[in-house]
Amino acid sequence: MDAASSSTICKSPAWLGILGGGQLGRMFIHEAQSLGFKVCVLDPDPLSPGGSVAEKHLCADYLDAAALSEMASLCSAISTEFENVPAQALDFFKTRGIFVAPDSSCVSIAQDRIKEKAFLAQCAPISGVGPVPYGVINSEADLALLANNLFPGILKTVRLGYDGKGQITVQSRDQLAAAWNDLGQVPCVLEKRMALAFEVSAIVARGHDGDVRSFPPAENIHRQGILHTSTVPSPSLQRHPVLLERIQKATSAIAQEMNYVGVLCVEYFVLTDGSIVANEVAPRPHNSGHYTMDACVTSQFQQQVRAMARLPLGDTRLLSPVAMLNILGDAWFVQDGKQQTTASEPAWERVLSHPDAKLHLYGKASPLPGRKMGHVNCLGQSLDEARQNCTAVAGDLGIAP
Ligand code: ADP
Ligand code: MG
């Protein structure tokens, strides 16, 4: 990208391009359209949630030459909704002088756990927060070289893991070879299993001019490796304002060190001894930032639009306490003994009858257990009220609170 193109603001009705048309792409598209932009989405799924709302859906592989060329001829700027987009696709646009945010160098860090941890370790002197202790497994010989203090640990594939997939807990060294086999003997990291007090994530937007805006960190609860709720302000960080400040500073430092442009999420573990470690980074809006859609002046998706269009970033002020509840495909099924059986539409009218509940559905055709179908932002006058509303909405949807 040359200096001239980097200073060019995209004005509506210009076209913006997004790689990936999942729910994150769809919510990005809605925000882009609300600022008057047109959006072209590239996603090989003909039924992608983003494809159905974009002005143009190129239904093709991410490396399809004709689709990339068509997108390049249309769009003034390009972003991605997922970290596994091939770097070549992002670089294709960059070499044609199209503004790409985030850059492929940032995305490639986030899509590879070895690069990601090495980067977090490299940043630690500046960010003040390092990665979880870990070892690298590229070949069978590496198994024996792992330090004893990594056990019990969690074996994770280096690439393509999400929602707890591609991970196996390994209690002791004698379980390691079998676990690595189960993961297909692909490159992995073994992370020490940490004693977590609580989990938080922090999202920042960074503009092309280096302006950084931080959203308030969310406190996250996972179920079976999938995000269940995000609560803001984080109840635990409210009790430890020093930790809150450290997390905000670390996240800005990580974005700056990457020379990042766009929306970046960093997941943190706060350990029972009060220390903080960085778990992973996402080079895009994050599920734990969906609360910003109803509880902040500017949503994370609008920040993504603004950053890629080189418009001024928005205010990240929290307008209300909020608890976000994820709705998985499980909510369509009735528990029958130990099995999930009969599929039926959840009781949306009950959710919609809550004055403080804002329902977002992603328009996915087939609900499957574990599949993210939507979320509800439960607002409240107080944090307690937001959490109570969240518990009530979960009850209405048959989701265990
Ligand atoms: P994903 O890419 O699927 O989000 P994560 O690495 O974030 O994978 O792991 C998912 C969840 O598993 C985390 O949010 C945390 O609850 C738990 N977890 C992951 N790594 C560790 C660890 N080293 N120690 C303790 N818990 C962990
Ligand atoms: Mg994670």
Side-chain angles (χ1 to χ4, degrees):
M1 170 211 359
D2 58 28
S5 70
S6 74
S7 61
T8 312
I9 291 174
C10 306
K11 292 198 180 120
S12 64
W15 284 79
L16 302 178
I18 184 90
L19 298 170
Q23 66 267 17
L24 300 178
R26 178 180 169 104
M27 290 183 272
F28 161 84
I29 294 164
H30 284 146
E31 283 285 14
Q33 290 170 334
S34 78
L35 287 180
F37 290 104
K38 292 189 169 67
V39 182
C40 173
V41 59
L42 176 58
D43 189 309
D45 176 3
L47 298 177
S48 76
S52 65
V53 299
E55 276 79 6
K56 190 163 196 70
H57 176 196
L58 296 170
C59 187
D61 185 83
Y62 295 108
L63 290 173
D64 184 280
L68 290 172
S69 290
E70 189 172 352
M71 204 162 176
S73 66
L74 209 55
C75 296
S76 309
I78 300 285
S79 189
T80 179
E81 64 131 30
F82 73 129
E83 50 270 43
N84 293 318
V85 62
Q88 304 98 291
L90 292 170
D91 290 339
F92 174 90
F93 297 108
K94 192 174 166 183
T95 55
R96 276 156 186 77
I98 299 170
F99 190 73
V100 176
D103 191 80
S104 66
S105 58
C106 302
V107 176
S108 71
I109 291 173
Q111 65 187 202
D112 179 311
R113 289 194 198 270
I114 299 174
K115 280 192 192 168
E116 181 175 56
K117 288 183 194 307
F119 180 79
L120 291 169
Q122 177 202 318
C123 280
I126 299 151
S127 70
V129 176
V132 174
Y134 72 101
V136 172
I137 301 146
N138 280 312
S139 68
E140 195 161 4
D142 293 333
L143 296 177
L145 302 176
L146 294 167
N148 287 332
N149 71 348
L150 296 177
F151 297 93
I154 303 177
L155 190 66
K156 300 182 181 179
T157 58
V158 166
R159 287 179 168 266
L160 303 174
Y162 70 99
D163 288 346
K165 293 185 176 66
Q167 301 191 9
I168 299 178
T169 297
V170 180
Q171 295 297 343
S172 57
R173 191 181 284 279
D174 52 346
Q175 295 178 352
L176 188 59
W180 191 53
N181 248 351
D182 288 350
L183 290 177
Q185 299 196 339
V186 294
C188 282
V189 292
L190 179 71
E191 284 182 18
K192 184 179 174 66
R193 195 174 71 203
M194 311 304 279
L196 312 188
F198 57 95
E199 292 187 59
V200 291
S201 53
I203 295 174
V204 295
R206 186 168 181 275
H208 69 112
D209 54 359
D211 184 23
V212 175
R213 302 292 175 98
S214 308
F215 287 103
E219 184 164 337
N220 301 323
I221 294 178
H222 295 84
R223 292 268 171 78
Q224 272 108 41
I226 306 176
L227 186 66
H228 173 55
T229 59
S230 292
T231 305
V232 186
S234 154
S236 305
L237 290 179
Q238 276 192 324
R239 291 192 287 275
H240 302 285
V242 177
L243 294 182
L244 173 72
E245 202 177 309
R246 282 186 60 200
I247 284 167
Q248 299 271 46
K249 278 192 178 154
T251 313
S252 303
I254 290 166
Q256 249 143 29
E257 286 303 295
M258 273 192 192
N259 201 16
Y260 193 87
V261 179
V263 172
L264 177 76
C265 177
V266 185
E267 296 179 11
Y268 296 95
F269 298 152
V270 178
L271 307 182
T272 48
D273 66 4
S275 59
I276 307 171
V277 290
N279 174 35
E280 59 177 354
V281 302
R284 52 169 170 79
H286 192 261
N287 194 167
S288 65
H290 291 356
Y291 79 87
T292 61
M293 296 172 79
D294 299 304
C296 288
V297 177
T298 311
S299 78
Q300 60 170 350
F301 299 104
Q302 177 151 142
Q303 291 294 53
Q304 185 180 20
V305 175
R306 291 181 185 221
M308 72 189 285
R310 285 148 290 166
L311 295 166
L313 296 177
D315 190 350
T316 53
R317 193 161 22 111
L318 189 69
L319 300 172
S320 164
V322 56
M324 190 258 355
L325 173 75
N326 259 347
I327 305 172
L328 304 181
D330 307 63
W332 272 249
F333 295 89
V334 175
Q335 199 73 24
D336 185 5
K338 281 199 165 166
Q339 283 188 324
Q340 286 184 315
T341 49
T342 352
S344 64
E345 195 73 12
W348 304 128
E349 64 288 353
R350 294 178 70 177
V351 178
L352 294 171
S353 72
H354 285 272
D356 292 313
K358 303 288 292 271
L359 175 65
H360 300 265
L361 293 173
Y362 308 146
K364 293 184 184 176
S366 28
L368 295 171
R371 186 171 205 197
K372 290 175 181 169
M373 302 297 290
H375 67 272
V376 191
N377 285 330
C378 303
L379 307 175
Q381 297 289 324
S382 64
L383 193 49
D384 276 347
E385 195 181 291
R387 294 163 97 185
Q388 282 159 14
N389 287 334
C390 184
T391 306
V393 168
D396 287 342
L397 291 172
I399 300 170

